[in-house]
Amino acid sequence: MTERPSDPETGPDETNRTTADVGRLVAVGIGPGHPEGMTVRAQEALKAVDHIVGYETYIDLLPKSLVDAAESVYATGMGSEVERTESAVDRALDGASVALVGSGDPNVYALGGLVLEVLESRDVAPAAVDFEVVPGVPAAQSSAARLGAPLVNDAVTISLSDHLTTREEIESRLRAVAPEDFAIAIYNPWSPNRAAIFQQACEILLEHRAPDTPVGIVHGAGRADEQTRLLTLGELPEMGDAAVLDMTATIVVGTEETRIWGDRMITPRGYERKYDY
């Protein structure tokens, strides 16, 4: 059963709750998007709840058996993150067991933090809800696995989405990390509305890194439409209109030591400086 979005009702007064009233809310990361990419713990968590709440695309990625077993499934579209988080919170405050699902990991550009913010904003006592985060494989790691071994040394992640972060903040963060020899995983890299941010990111990176720096793009890691592309940083600015690059893609920019071996990226960890092999 799939419910259509509706305005969540305010739950009863949390201050009058007893231990028996305490609901359970689990933020579950389902990983890259295929059943084999979900952790055993994530599958167990979804089997144990009565309600599943999530973005429509993520609900569609769940094994049918898990969806069919749920008492209620509440799916919303893009841009309804607060609505579905509040729905999950309301259900838990009503004493239900609820899973709020998302791709990757709940603590990586996802809703794990928003759950706690919503509870805090309502002056809910921390003990009023049994809350847990069930981690999943983040997109950076899923993509890195497809590319070889580009993130085995110090690395950072930056999102180019300006939905919740200003363009000025994104530019500042890029300028802070580009001169350092981090591998960089870039989330939400391109859409028609963010073409200017993407081009600016390329310009900033090229100010500090050689044009022949290896770059990998993974579109839809672990999903049916997965695509992988190896290129150089100098070629990256021309990729804006390429099918492989959209908001489901992850870009991995290598370090000055990253190299291409066959169809794999390698970022040395430093063993070669201490050991003979």
Side-chain angles (χ1 to χ4, degrees), residues 8-26:
E9 298 180 356
T10 302
D13 183 2
E14 288 80 17
T15 61
N16 296 325
R17 296 185 177 278
T18 66
T19 303
D21 295 322
V22 173
R24 177 164 174 74
L25 178 51
V26 188

Side-chain angles (χ1 to χ4, degrees), residues 21 51 58 64 67-68 78 99 127 193 200 219 228 230 259:
D21 295 322
H51 300 248
Y58 303 153
K64 187 175 183 298
V67 175
D68 291 344
M78 179 68 73
N193 293 331
Q200 184 181 37
H219 167 92
T228 301
L230 290 175
R259 58 185 182 270

Side-chain angles (χ1 to χ4, degrees), residues 81-93:
E81 295 88 352
V82 174
E83 179 184 342
R84 61 177 173 268
T85 301
E86 289 187 321
S87 176
V89 167
D90 287 336
R91 292 161 192 256
L93 289 175

